[in-house]
Amino acid sequence: MPAATDPETMLFAGSTESLPRSVRWRRSRMVLTGGAAHAPSSSSGQGASLVAESAVELARCLRDPPLPRAPARCEELRRPQVDRIVWETACTSARKAAGPVGRVVRDALLPVMFKPAKPEKNAWQFRYPIDFDAPVG
């Protein structure tokens, strides 16, 4: 058995990595939740929000019959939002990796670019309404 510090068995995740979409959230009755299932780059600022939203959705799915379908239904409800946030933050992280010349250009242009910015364009990230009383169906 390889040691936990064996470089071939280690997974490194830093501030610019996200879990790939191919991560399975469920197998039989076992379900991954929160950051174990979906961990966007820390640059997203969405990690805790995704965890809380997913916990509420999982609770709803476990509340409403049929119970054996709960893990699959939870993933169906959450995947679109989670995948979109993970994809958007991966793009953001990729754009942040600038070389020395790119950093100078970026730093000069950022103030100009943010003046006409429309924050409402990204409001969808912060509004994920969950009607807890509505049946999951």
Side-chain angles (χ1 to χ4, degrees):
M1 180 173 195
T5 55
D6 181 352
E8 298 210 5
T9 61
M10 294 174 67
L11 171 66
F12 293 95
S15 62
T16 59
E17 287 86 22
S18 298
L19 287 176
R21 187 198 187 288
S22 61
V23 170
R24 291 181 59 179
W25 293 11
R26 60 190 166 76
R27 179 173 296 147
S28 184
R29 294 181 343 180
M30 303 299 290
V31 181
L32 290 176
T33 60
H38 46 71
S41 167
S42 61
S43 67
S44 72
Q46 293 293 302
S49 296
L50 289 177
V51 169
E53 292 165 3
S54 292
V56 172
E57 287 290 31
L58 181 58
R60 289 179 62 229
C61 292
L62 291 169
R63 177 197 66 194
D64 296 342
L67 190 56
R69 175 121 170 76
R73 183 65 180 134
C74 184
E75 185 171 352
E76 289 168 9
L77 291 168
R78 292 297 297 145
R79 267 278 185 203
Q81 175 80 355
V82 168
D83 285 349
R84 184 173 177 192
I85 287 175
V86 170
W87 181 81
E88 293 273 348
T89 59
C91 292
T92 299
S93 294
R95 288 191 299 267
K96 289 181 178 181
V101 174
R103 284 193 295 272
V104 171
V105 172
R106 177 198 62 207
D107 294 346
L109 292 177
L110 275 178
V112 175
M113 291 170 46
F114 277 114
K115 277 189 181 178
K118 297 183 177 14
E120 63 275 3
K121 182 179 116 182
N122 293 323
W124 65 268
Q125 292 181 5
F126 309 106
R127 291 190 191 109
Y128 184 78
I130 298 173
D131 182 356
F132 190 79
D133 294 324
V136 173

